[in-house]
């Protein structure tokens, strides 16, 4: 009879502990607003940037053209390249002591390389700010941000 009680207790304890709701592995605070349609852009990661002074984490993404240009380390821009720099504030990682993870969206900078009528490329820069990614009307410093984004070196990724 004691064996039966021990086995029943062990099974009940296992069932009760298995019913406990697991914490979500999705970082909701760092997620994009659904109306931004970030996944529809089909971008690839080019590099990451950590700014410890500003306590931000950023990821530079590029479309297929930008990714190919970065892979061959070519500095000549072609029309159709698109770069997206996503910046998040940081928070302590609750699952790993001493590490930081993205917290809330700070900004998204989109730089597109456009062709002009004379065959010379030009750039277009748009900035979205805050966790709702509202379009910014402030144009001060756009040239500097564009130059910063285009100057980033790609992360080295081995061939698979």
């Amino acid at each position: 009879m004691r064996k039966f009680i021990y086995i029943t207790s062990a099974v009940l304890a296992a069932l009760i502990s298995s019913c406990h709701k697991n914490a979500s592995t999705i970082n909701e605070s760092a997620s994009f607003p659904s109306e931004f349609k970030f996944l529809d852009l089909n971008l690839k990661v080019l590099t990451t940037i950590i700014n410890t002074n500003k306590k931000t984490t950023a990821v530079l993404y590029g479309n297929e053209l930008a990714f190919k240009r970065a892979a061959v380390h070519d500095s000549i821009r072609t029309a159709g390249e698109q770069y997206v720099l996503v910046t998040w504030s940081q928070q302590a990682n609750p699952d790993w002591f001493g590490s930081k993870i993205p917290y809330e969206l700070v900004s998204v900078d989109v730089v597109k390389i456009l062709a002009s009528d004379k065959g010379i490329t030009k750039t277009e820069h748009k900035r979205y700010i805050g966790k709702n990614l509202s379009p910014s009307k402030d144009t001060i410093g756009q040239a500097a941000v564009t130059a910063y984004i285009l100057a980033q070196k790609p992360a080295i990724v081995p061939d698979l």
Side-chain angles (χ1 to χ4, degrees), residues 76-136:
I76 298 172
R77 308 283 174 199
T78 56
E81 292 177 23
Q82 181 176 7
Y83 300 87
V84 179
L85 181 66
V86 181
T87 306
W88 292 270
S89 60
Q90 294 177 339
Q91 69 177 344
N93 185 344
D95 299 322
W96 194 266
F97 179 75
S99 68
K100 305 280 188 202
I101 59 173
Y103 179 50
E104 287 186 338
L105 283 163
V106 173
S107 64
V108 173
D109 291 282
V110 179
V111 174
K112 294 180 181 179
I113 308 298
L114 307 170
S116 69
D117 53 349
K118 297 179 183 174
I120 300 169
T121 58
K122 61 181 183 173
T123 60
E124 173 187 86
H125 175 266
K126 291 183 182 176
R127 173 172 264 193
Y128 304 90
I129 54 174
K131 70 180 194 174
N132 294 326
L133 296 179
S134 305
S136 174

Side-chain angles (χ1 to χ4, degrees), residues 26-104:
I26 296 175
N27 187 346
E28 294 292 336
S29 64
S31 297
F32 287 90
S34 59
E35 60 273 3
F36 194 73
K37 307 286 186 210
F38 182 76
L39 293 178
D40 293 347
L41 298 175
N42 294 319
L43 302 173
K44 296 182 178 187
V45 174
L46 297 177
T47 193
T48 58
I49 304 155
I50 308 273
N51 187 328
T52 54
N53 293 334
K54 291 183 179 179
K55 297 182 178 159
T56 59
T57 300
V59 177
L60 179 61
Y61 298 91
N63 65 0
E64 190 65 35
L65 286 172
F67 188 78
K68 287 179 181 176
R69 191 215 47 85
V72 295
H73 305 288
D74 186 5
S75 62
I76 298 172
R77 308 283 174 199
T78 56
E81 292 177 23
Q82 181 176 7
Y83 300 87
V84 179
L85 181 66
V86 181
T87 306
W88 292 270
S89 60
Q90 294 177 339
Q91 69 177 344
N93 185 344
D95 299 322
W96 194 266
F97 179 75
S99 68
K100 305 280 188 202
I101 59 173
Y103 179 50
E104 287 186 338

